[in-house]
Amino acid sequence: MSADDRGTGRRPSRVRAGLVRMYPAEWRKRYGDELLDLLETRRLTPPTIVSTLRGAWDAHARLTEVTGVRRDRARIVTISASTIAAAWAVFALAAAGVAKSTEDTPFTAASRSHDLISVTRGSMSAVFALSTAIVVMGVIPVAGAAIVQFVRRRDWRGLGLAGVPVLAAAAVVVVGWLAGQAPARPVHGAANVIVASTLAALVLFAVSTSLAAGSAALRRVRLGAWSLRLLTYAGAAAAATMSLGLLVGGAYGLAVWIDEPDLFTSSSGLLATPLPLTWVGLLVVAVAAVAVADRATLQLLHVRRRLS
Amino acid sequence: MSALQEMGRHADPALLVLSSVADGPKHGYAMTKDIEEFAGVSLQPATLYGAIGRLETRGLIVAMPADDRRRPYKLTGAGAKALEGRLRSLQSIARTGLKRLATA
C-alpha cells in the first residue's frame, strides 16, 4: 500500500467517532477502528450519516450475522428490557397527549352521556396505570440490586450512571409541575405551543439520556438469575399492556367517532393542530412504540427457556 | 441458494467486495477506490463494512494482520467459488438478455 492510499488524512472528528459509537460494542471491537479510519477519508455528508446510522441499526439487529459474535443471554435480556422501557416512555408520551387532547368539557360530557365512550376511556386509564405499575415493579428491584453492587465495589462511575435516569425523571417531574403552575394560557396560543413542544423535547431527551446511561450501568453489573427473570417477565408484561392500551385507545377513538362525530371536526388538537391530525400523530407514535416493544419481547421470550 | 444470494439486499455490495479482493488483499479504503474504478459505484463506509462483516462471518473472506488501523482482507477458497458461481450466473443472464435484444 502506497502513501497515496492513505486517503486525505482528515482530522479525527467527534461526530465521526460519535457515529461509530452508535454500533454495538462487539462490532466496534472488531471493525470500529477501520470504519472510523474510512470515515475520516471523506466528507461527512447527510447520505454518509444516514448510511452509518442504518449500518449501526443493522449491526444491533443482526449482530451474529455481521460479526459471528453471539451475545450472552444476560446481555440480550438487559438490552431487550431497556428497549421496552424506552418504548414504554415514548408510549407514555403519546398517552399523555391523548389525555391532554381529551380533557376539555366536550369530551368529559361525551363520557357522561355515552356508556361506550365512558367504558373505553376508563379502560384506557386502567390499562395505562397497570402498565406503569409493571414498569416500576420491574425497574426498581433491578436498579436497587445494581446500586448495591456499585456501592459494594465502590464503582462510583456505575453509581453515577445509575443516577442519571433518577435525575432525569426528577427533572421532568419538576419542570412539568412548574409548567402546570404557570398562569392559564389560550390552548392554541404561541406560548402554550412553545411550552408543550419544549416539554415533549425535554421528555424525549430525558428518555434517550436515561436509556444510554441505564444501559451503560447495567453493562457494569452482573445480574443474578432472579433479576434477569424479573426483567423478562416485567418486560413481556409491559409490552403486552402497551399492546392492550393501543387496542383500547383505538376502541375509544372509534367510540367517539360513532357517538360524537362532531368532536372529530373540532380544532382542539395539541400544538395548534386539528384533532384528527393530533390523533393520527399520536397513533403513529404509539404504534411505533408498541412495535419496538413487541419485537424486544420476542427476543426476551426467545432466551427465556435458556435462562430457566 | 448460494452464500451470496442468502445475503439479500447486502448481496450486491458483497459481490463488489469479493470482486475487489479477487486479485489480492485490500483494506477498506483501497476497496472503495477500486470499486469506484471498476464498477463506478461509491460504496458508503457503513455499507462496505456491513458487507465485509457478512462475508467474513460466512468464511468468504479472511482478515490479515492489521497495518495500523487498516486491516487487509483476502479471498478464501470458498469466497472464490462463490464469486465464480455468481459471476457465471450473471454472465449467463447478460448473454441471454443481449441475445434477445439483438433479435427483437
Side-chain angles (χ1 to χ4, degrees):
Chain A
M1 279 160 255
S2 71
D4 289 344
D5 286 341
R6 291 286 166 204
T8 57
R10 287 175 192 277
R11 261 186 326 118
S13 91
R14 284 180 179 224
V15 180
R16 290 177 177 82
L19 283 171
V20 175
R21 282 197 67 79
M22 297 283 169
Y23 280 78
E26 298 90 338
W27 191 95
R28 290 201 309 271
K29 193 174 166 189
R30 178 67 189 81
Y31 301 108
D33 282 350
E34 293 175 62
L35 177 63
L36 184 59
D37 181 76
L38 195 51
L39 283 171
E40 284 167 3
T41 64
R42 58 167 63 206
R43 283 181 55 230
L44 209 52
T45 58
T48 302
I49 294 172
V50 170
S51 161
T52 310
L53 292 175
R54 272 189 66 184
W57 172 264
D58 182 47
H60 277 285
R62 299 177 190 83
L63 184 71
T64 306
E65 189 185 334
V66 294
T67 61
V69 171
R70 283 194 181 277
R71 281 190 171 124
D72 69 65
R73 297 160 200 167
R75 181 109 172 87
I76 295 172
V77 171
T78 52
I79 288 174
S80 303
S82 304
T83 305
I84 292 170
W88 179 84
V90 173
F91 185 79
L93 201 61
V98 171
K100 190 73 189 160
S101 65
T102 58
E103 68 180 1
D104 294 337
T105 311
F107 286 94
T108 50
S111 273
R112 279 196 295 272
S113 335
H114 301 283
D115 288 344
L116 190 58
I117 296 179
S118 173
V119 168
T120 49
R121 190 183 169 93
S123 306
M124 208 164 52
S125 303
V127 170
F128 185 70
L130 178 64
S131 177
T132 307
I134 289 168
V135 170
V136 170
M137 284 191 298
V139 166
I140 288 183
V142 175
I147 288 169
V148 167
Q149 282 193 30
F150 291 141
V151 172
R152 277 188 185 155
R153 295 197 320 238
R154 295 174 184 272
D155 182 355
W156 308 126
R157 184 174 164 75
L159 201 58
L161 287 168
V164 169
V166 178
L167 288 176
V172 168
V173 169
V174 169
V175 173
W177 181 78
L178 287 175
Q181 299 304 304
R185 292 173 295 267
V187 173
H188 286 166
N192 216 25
V193 170
I194 291 169
V195 169
S197 310
T198 309
L199 275 176
L202 176 72
V203 171
L204 286 176
F205 177 71
V207 168
S208 50
T209 310
S210 301
L211 180 67
S215 301
L218 282 179
R219 275 202 296 272
R220 300 169 78 92
V221 292
R222 189 159 188 83
L223 292 175
W226 72 268
S227 292
L228 295 175
R229 277 202 196 98
L230 180 64
L231 283 177
T232 301
Y233 293 128
T241 52
M242 284 166 65
S243 301
L244 186 61
L246 190 61
L247 288 176
V248 176
Y252 173 70
L254 273 178
V256 172
W257 189 43
I258 291 165
D259 289 334
E260 293 281 350
D262 289 349
L263 286 180
F264 264 91
T265 56
S266 76
S267 59
S268 56
L270 300 173
L271 301 178
T273 57
L275 189 66
L277 196 61
T278 291
W279 281 17
V280 167
L282 294 173
L283 187 66
V284 168
V285 172
V287 167
V290 169
V292 169
D294 285 347
R295 192 181 186 285
T297 303
L298 288 179
Q299 281 188 317
L300 276 178
L301 297 178
H302 187 65
V303 294
R304 183 177 61 100
R305 194 179 298 167
R306 286 188 280 166
L307 278 169
S308 56
Chain B
M1 195 182 277
S2 75
L4 270 176
Q5 283 170 313
E6 278 170 13
M7 291 187 203
R9 67 186 172 89
H10 303 281
D12 288 348
L15 178 65
L16 293 171
V17 169
L18 286 181
S19 300
S20 179
V21 295
D23 65 348
K26 287 185 188 69
H27 53 60
Y29 180 75
M31 278 185 220
T32 53
K33 290 288 158 197
D34 183 46
I35 290 168
E36 261 177 45
E37 270 182 33
F38 76 76
V41 175
S42 177
L43 279 189
Q44 290 288 354
T47 310
L48 180 78
Y49 275 96
I52 287 176
R54 285 177 166 82
L55 289 169
E56 203 182 359
T57 304
R58 287 169 169 78
L60 304 182
I61 57 173
V62 65
M64 297 171 71
D67 171 20
D68 193 9
R69 285 198 297 178
R70 293 181 174 182
R71 188 189 300 272
Y73 294 86
K74 71 174 180 182
L75 198 63
T76 63
K81 201 174 157 190
L83 176 63
E84 192 181 349
R86 187 71 189 131
L87 290 178
R88 287 204 185 285
S89 161
L90 290 173
Q91 193 179 35
S92 161
I93 293 168
R95 199 183 301 122
T96 307
L98 288 169
K99 200 167 142 189
R100 289 179 183 176
L101 271 177
T103 56

